[in-house]
Amino acid sequence: MALKSITEADLKGKKVLARFDFNVPLKNGQISDSSRIDLALPTIRFLLEQGISKLTLMSHLGRPKGKVNPDLSLEPVADYLANQLNEEVILTESAISNGVKELLTLKSTKIVLLENLRFHPEEEQNGNEFAKSLSDYGEIYVNDAFGAAHRKHASVYNINKYFPNRAYAGLLLKAEIDSLNKILHSPKKPFMAIIGGAKISDKIKTIEKLLVNVDKLFIGGAMAYPFLKAKGQSIGNSLCNEEDIKLAKNILKADKGKKLVLPIDHMIVEKFGAKPITSKNTDIEEGYMGIDIGPKTIAHYQDLLKSAKTILWNGPMGVFENPDYAKGTMSLCETIAGLDAFSLVGGGDSVSAVNKSGLAQKFSHVSTGGGASLEYIEKGELPGIQALKFGV
Ligand code: AMP
């Protein structure tokens, strides 16, 4: 069953309750990257243009662990939204209080933002009463929080109980799922995936699932060292642990040398922060650690990627936060951006690399949910999406 989009809903005059992912990074109380809010704006504008009567917005911010934490108030988000929409956005004192209902009865009230949902432990506990109380604020429920769709939390899961046939996907959520479905169900071949980052254990299930469907799977970042070690290569002092080597061994055994592509050289340093040099070959010299893929690897990956018609990318190729160690990640970013292929990038770090490169527009889809996109690839479904489609 397909997701019902807000474009199919009868919204005129309705009170709408909408869940977004406004979980933006804050620095000294200021939003340091507004991307998540910006990506929600089309849905908010669409709802307002349909002549709805009230719009109640909900989100979490950070990890207050069920307690009120003024540092994690949604106040900067309310200010930012008000500025962008050129409308008053009233931030409530708490997500749950009679005051909110009263506020919504006032003629002058149009847009309300509920204070951080995670100030209440019931949000993460998927509390039924909490979900019910939230549901009182709207006649129609909209979920546009892809980044939270893999969580079984009250505002994305149990809340669906109270909106039978009145629950819809926002524009962003719909676009995310449509793009992931393309990768999952009908990828144009050759389909190639690039998996990087730091830990195999976090992405093991995704790698196993992908190995069934892809034509090639490139490994980069610290993720590569357990594989190399498992193959008997030396990796010097590179980031690696025994558990990951075990996992890598199993993956290598299952792959039988067919699809996995591993680095053939590396950028290495003796000490973190030092200028990198190139390793002589696939082995990493004693006393050195790998911090990025090397130039031969970049060229090899670029060459193979040329023929790809579908590309999935998750995780950086090195410690890209340091510009000296970012060449692998940025080179692949430029390569993918220049290809005529359906390209999807997910995962906080790879997305921030793509944004840094200024090439985000050249990707077919830049996903807002790292964990959510990996879990969707692995399982083909997410709790929040399931609940939105079929109820709870
Ligand atoms: P993940 O969250 O698994 O995608 O991991 C992202 C993190 O992996 C980034 O913060 C990178 O700095 C880190 N990373 C990538 N390559 C390496 C490496 N060779 N050594 C240590 N950390 C790395």
Side-chain angles (χ1 to χ4, degrees):
M1 187 169 108
L3 265 177
K4 269 196 294 177
S5 158
I6 45 170
T7 54
E8 300 164 44
D10 177 14
L11 294 163
K12 198 165 172 52
K14 297 281 184 352
K15 282 200 287 177
V16 175
L17 174 67
R19 172 65 154 102
F20 292 92
D21 178 7
F22 296 144
N23 184 25
V24 286
L26 295 176
K27 249 187 209 149
N28 304 323
Q30 303 284 324
I31 298 169
S32 57
D33 178 355
S34 62
S35 312
R36 283 192 168 145
I37 312 177
D38 297 333
L39 286 162
L41 288 173
T43 295
I44 298 176
R45 292 205 171 102
F46 178 87
L47 292 169
L48 294 171
E49 281 160 16
Q50 305 313 303
I52 61 173
S53 64
K54 309 276 173 207
L55 177 58
T56 303
L57 311 168
M58 330 181 252
S59 177
H60 71 282
L61 178 64
R63 299 188 170 175
K65 302 210 165 98
K67 290 205 185 90
V68 176
N69 176 349
D71 292 340
L72 294 174
S73 162
L74 282 168
E75 197 175 342
V77 176
D79 293 344
Y80 185 83
L81 281 170
N83 248 316
Q84 294 297 311
L85 298 168
N86 217 359
E87 298 250 13
E88 191 183 14
V89 175
I90 306 169
L91 178 70
T92 66
E93 229 177 279
S94 153
I96 299 288
S97 74
N98 283 333
V100 182
K101 268 201 240 166
E102 267 167 43
L103 192 64
L104 287 167
T105 60
L106 299 180
K107 218 167 168 232
S108 56
T109 307
K110 181 84 182 202
I111 309 175
V112 169
L113 172 63
L114 302 183
E115 184 54 288
N116 196 340
L117 293 168
R118 288 195 188 165
F119 285 175
H120 305 263
E122 297 87 348
E123 163 65 358
E124 288 176 85
Q125 291 160 357
N126 195 24
N128 207 19
E129 279 306 307
F130 183 69
K132 189 170 185 309
S133 304
L134 293 173
S135 74
D136 283 346
Y137 304 147
E139 299 158 277
I140 294 221
Y141 169 69
V142 173
N143 185 351
D144 207 25
F146 178 69
H150 58 317
R151 310 268 185 222
K152 226 172 175 172
H153 292 175
S155 65
V156 290
Y157 194 78
N158 258 345
I159 197 160
N160 289 280
K161 272 186 199 167
Y162 304 99
F163 294 94
N165 298 316
R166 288 177 287 120
Y168 296 88
L171 304 176
L172 177 65
L173 188 87
K174 183 82 168 61
E176 294 270 13
I177 295 296
D178 287 349
S179 295
L180 282 164
N181 280 342
K182 260 191 203 165
I183 295 257
L184 215 57
H185 303 305
S186 51
K188 267 202 187 164
K189 297 278 196 165
F191 173 18
M192 303 191 188
I194 307 162
I195 304 290
K199 279 186 83 194
I200 295 189
S201 49
D202 287 354
K203 298 181 188 173
I204 172 84
K205 295 224 175 80
T206 312
I207 294 176
E208 283 171 350
K209 174 82 209 247
L210 281 171
L211 273 178
V212 177
N213 300 325
V214 295
D215 297 289
K216 292 255 172 277
L217 200 157
F218 303 89
I219 302 283
M223 181 85 74
Y225 310 130
F227 283 100
L228 295 172
K229 184 86 183 166
K231 287 183 80 177
Q233 230 96 43
S234 1
I235 58 162
N237 300 332
S238 305
L239 194 67
C240 185
N241 66 50
E242 287 303 318
E243 182 56 28
D244 281 354
I245 298 172
K246 253 194 241 158
L247 295 174
K249 262 189 194 150
N250 291 338
I251 297 174
L252 286 165
K253 216 161 123 197
D255 181 53
K256 298 190 193 87
K258 280 196 209 138
K259 296 178 174 177
L260 274 178
V261 190
L262 297 170
I264 48 177
D265 66 346
H266 319 270
M267 299 313 292
I268 55 174
V269 289
E270 270 182 300
K271 260 201 186 140
F272 198 78
K275 289 277 172 207
I277 57 167
T278 310
S279 67
K280 285 202 188 74
N281 51 44
T282 313
D283 288 309
I284 292 177
E285 285 81 349
E286 233 7 81
Y288 283 82
M289 60 179 161
I291 39 78
D292 194 7
I293 53 174
K296 280 192 211 144
T297 306
I298 296 177
H300 183 47
Y301 285 11
Q302 283 173 329
D303 192 42
L304 291 171
L305 279 168
K306 263 191 232 151
S307 65
K309 284 283 162 257
T310 304
I311 299 171
L312 170 72
W313 180 19
N314 185 298
M317 297 293 99
V319 188
F320 78 105
E321 294 92 337
N322 180 332
D324 287 338
Y325 311 156
K327 185 131 192 252
T329 303
M330 288 309 176
S331 304
L332 289 198
C333 182
E334 280 160 29
T335 303
I336 300 167
L339 290 175
D340 179 23
F342 180 81
S343 53
L344 190 152
V345 55
D349 284 308
S350 19
V351 168
S352 80
V354 168
N355 286 335
K356 249 190 209 172
S357 74
L359 295 167
Q361 301 295 341
K362 304 257 179 186
F363 282 72
S364 310
H365 188 75
V366 179
S367 179
T368 50
S373 62
L374 287 182
E375 199 171 316
Y376 194 77
I377 289 165
E378 181 195 322
K379 299 184 179 152
E381 204 40 281
L382 296 172
I385 306 295
Q386 189 94 7
L388 196 60
K389 281 203 267 192
F390 304 110
V392 176

